[in-house]
Amino acid sequence: MRWTLTVLGTTDLHGNVFNWDYYRDAEYDDGAHDDVGLAKVASVVGAVRAEREGLATLVLDAGDTIEGTLLTTFYARREPITSTGEIHPMARAMNVIGYDAVTLGNHEFNYGLPLLDLWISQLDCPALAANAISEATGEPAYAPYLLKEVRLAENAPAFTVGILGLTNPGTAVWDRGTVAGKLRFEDMVATAAKWVPEMRKAGADLVLVSAHGGDSGTSTLGPGVPNENPTALIAQRVPGIDAILFGHAHAEVVERFHVNEHTGERVLTAEPSKFGQRVSRMDFTLRHTGGRWVVEDKCATMINTNTVEEDPTVLDELKEQHARTVAHTTRVVATSTVEMSAAESRLRPTPILGFVHRVQTDTVRAALADNELPVLSVASPFSRTARFPAGEVCVREIAGLYVYDNALEAVELTGAQVRAYLEYSARYYRTHAPGAPVDPATISVRGRPDFNYDTIDGIDYDIDISRPAGERITRLEHGGAAVAPDARFVVAVNNYRRSGGGAFPGMGGTPLYSAGREIRELLIDWARARGTIDPADFSAANWRLVRDGVPLFA
C-alpha cells in the first residue's frame, strides 16, 4: 500500500506579512505582478491542507525571516520587542499558519542575539541551525534538527520525518560584531554529514534538509570561510538525504535533482524565490515494505501566491502592528528644497547620495573630534528608485534611500588602501573600448549588484572604464593634491562592509568608531533636526566616469 506526504516551503520572507510596500505606502507591485507576504502564503497553505483533507502536510521555512521590511525594522529598532515584550510580527504570522520548523538565515542575526532569542521563544515551532555552534559549550547553540512523527493516513504505520536546519556561515563575516566570541559557524556540508546519520539512527524515515545557502557552489566569503552556497554539494556528497529546501539566493528553482555520489540516489531540491512570492510544494510517494519505508517517487512544483487572496486571519492578527508601522513611516521629518533622485547614482555624483555622505561624515567627525585626520565617507547606490520630492519628506522616503539595517562605523585607511578600495569597487563596470557606445543600462558587469559598487566622498577621483579592472583609478586627489600612498584618512563606512561583506580590501580590522547607530536612523534624525534638506549643504561632484580620460556623464 502507498501513502503520500506533502511538504510546503518558503524562504527569504524578509519581514513580509502584508502585500504592502512600506517604502511607497501602497500595495506591492514589482512589475511582474508578483505578490508578497505571509498572508498570501497562509492562503496557499490552507488550500493545500484542505485538498489533502487533513493528511500529512508539513510547512517549513529556510531562513532570512525577521529582517527586510519597515514592519520588522519598526519592531526591532523603533519599538523593539526586547523592550516592549510585544510578539514579533513574523512570530505572530508564522504561528497562525502553523509552521512545523524554521531555519535561521544570516539576517536573523542582524539585530543581535537577545532579539533573536526572544523571537525564537515566541515561535510555536523550533528554529533550527545545526552548524551555529556556541563558543562557550562547543555544542549547537540552537536545535540542530527536528524529528516529527506524522500521520500519513488512518491505520498507516508510524512514520517519522527528520528535518535538519543549516544556516549560512557568512554570518561570521556579515554580523561579526554580533556573533564574534559567542558563535562560530561550521561548514554546511560537513555538518550535514555529521547529523544525517544520527537522524537516521534516531528513527527518521525521511530526511529533509532546510538550508539557508544557494546551490551555485560559489561563495563571496573569501578563503578560510566555509562555502556560502553549498546546497548542490550537500546533495551530492552527503548520503541519506531525500530532499532539500533551500534559500539565500532569492532564486526560483521549481525542481532540481542531484545524484548522490555515494548512493546513486536522486536528491530533490527546490528554492521558492523570496518574500513569500512563491511556495514550494514537494510531494513524496511512500511505501512500507519489509518493516521499512521506501520513497518510491518525489517531485516538486511551485505555487505563485498571486493566485490567492490574503488570509483574513493573518491580516486581523497583525492589523495593529501594520497600522503602527504605517503611521511611523508616513510621518513627515523635513522639507526638501528640490526633488532628488537616486536613479543615476552609479553614473555620477547625485545630491541624494551626497546626503548620505554628509550625515555619515558629520557623525564620525563629531564622534572623533580629537582625531585630526580627514574624514571620508563610503556609500552605495542601493536603490535606483529612491527619491525625495520637492516639499515634505517622510520617514519612508529616507528609509527607501537606505534600505538596509546597517550601523555606521569608521576605520583608518592609508592612501594606498583607499585607492585599492576604489579599484575593487570599479570592477562593477564593464570595460568599454574607446569609440564604442556606452549604454547606462548595460554599463555594469552582468550580475554585479548595485550594492557592491561603493562611492567615496571627501576625495576627488576618476574611474576610466576603458582600462582593465585594477587600473581604473586614474586621478585620486585630496585638497587639490595627489593622494600619497602613505596618507592617512578616517573612513566612515557601514558595519556590513567594515566586517568584510563584499570582501572589499582594507576592511575587517578594529573600528575607530562603532556606536551601533543605524545609518537609516541617523539620516532621519539629521533631517528632522535641521528641518530642511538642501543639496547646497552636501552636493559635490567629486568623482567622474571617464573613458580614455574623457568624461562620460558630465
Side-chain angles (χ1 to χ4, degrees), residues 77 186 209 369 450 517 544:
R77 297 302 193 198
E186 297 186 343
V209 175
D450 291 354
R517 300 190 64 190
R544 303 181 301 178

Side-chain angles (χ1 to χ4, degrees), residues 2-3 5 159-160 200 204-208 240-243 257 265-266 268 283-289 292-299:
R2 291 170 176 80
W3 290 270
L5 169 71
F159 185 80
T160 300
R200 290 288 187 183
D205 298 302
L206 182 87
V207 170
L208 305 175
I241 297 171
D242 293 290
F257 286 95
E265 295 292 328
R266 298 166 75 232
L268 172 64
D283 288 293
F284 301 86
T285 302
L286 309 163
R287 182 165 53 90
H288 194 259
T289 180
R292 59 185 293 268
W293 284 98
V294 176
V295 179
E296 286 197 338
D297 190 30
K298 50 191 170 185
C299 63

Side-chain angles (χ1 to χ4, degrees), residues 106-330:
N106 51 282
H107 281 289
E108 264 62 83
F109 297 87
N110 288 172
Y111 300 118
L113 299 182
L115 188 138
L116 173 57
D117 291 344
L118 179 56
W119 172 69
I120 290 172
S121 73
Q122 293 173 344
L123 290 170
D124 291 340
C125 66
L128 309 177
N131 59 320
I133 307 301
S134 167
E135 291 282 21
T137 67
E139 298 296 326
Y142 308 95
Y145 66 85
L146 170 68
L147 291 179
K148 187 175 184 71
E149 185 171 338
V150 300
R151 177 180 176 272
L152 295 177
E154 194 72 36
N155 301 320
F159 185 80
T160 300
V161 178
I163 304 160
L164 175 67
L166 300 171
T167 192
N168 202 287
T171 298
V173 174
W174 304 318
D175 275 298
R176 181 179 301 166
T178 296
V179 302
K182 301 172 184 176
L183 300 173
R184 68 175 186 270
F185 295 82
E186 297 186 343
D187 182 84
M188 296 169 74
V189 180
T191 301
K194 172 184 176 181
W195 287 104
V196 169
E198 293 200 25
M199 294 164 67
R200 290 288 187 183
K201 185 177 180 180
D205 298 302
L206 182 87
V207 170
L208 305 175
V209 175
S210 177
H212 194 76
D215 69 346
S216 67
T218 62
S219 185
T220 65
L221 300 175
V225 183
N227 193 297
E228 176 186 358
N229 296 297
T231 291
L233 300 176
I234 296 170
Q236 293 161 3
R237 296 178 182 177
V238 181
I241 297 171
D242 293 290
I244 304 176
L245 173 73
F246 69 101
H248 186 61
H250 291 198
E252 183 174 336
V253 178
V254 177
E255 178 187 74
R256 185 172 292 161
F257 286 95
H258 297 278
V259 176
N260 186 270
E261 60 192 33
H262 299 284
T263 65
E265 295 292 328
R266 298 166 75 232
V267 180
L268 172 64
T269 69
E271 181 179 16
S273 189
K274 62 187 184 300
F275 306 161
Q277 293 176 345
R278 305 288 187 272
V279 176
S280 286
R281 175 173 176 164
M282 297 180 177
D283 288 293
F284 301 86
T285 302
L286 309 163
R287 182 165 53 90
H288 194 259
T289 180
R292 59 185 293 268
W293 284 98
V294 176
V295 179
E296 286 197 338
D297 190 30
K298 50 191 170 185
C299 63
T301 53
M302 194 73 73
I303 304 171
N304 192 329
T305 59
N306 69 8
T307 60
V308 298
E309 298 298 320
E310 292 180 289
D311 179 81
T313 304
V314 173
L315 296 182
D316 185 65
E317 179 73 15
L318 283 94
K319 63 183 179 182
E320 292 185 7
Q321 292 183 316
H322 173 70
R324 288 184 65 79
T325 302
V326 170
H328 169 66
T329 60
T330 56

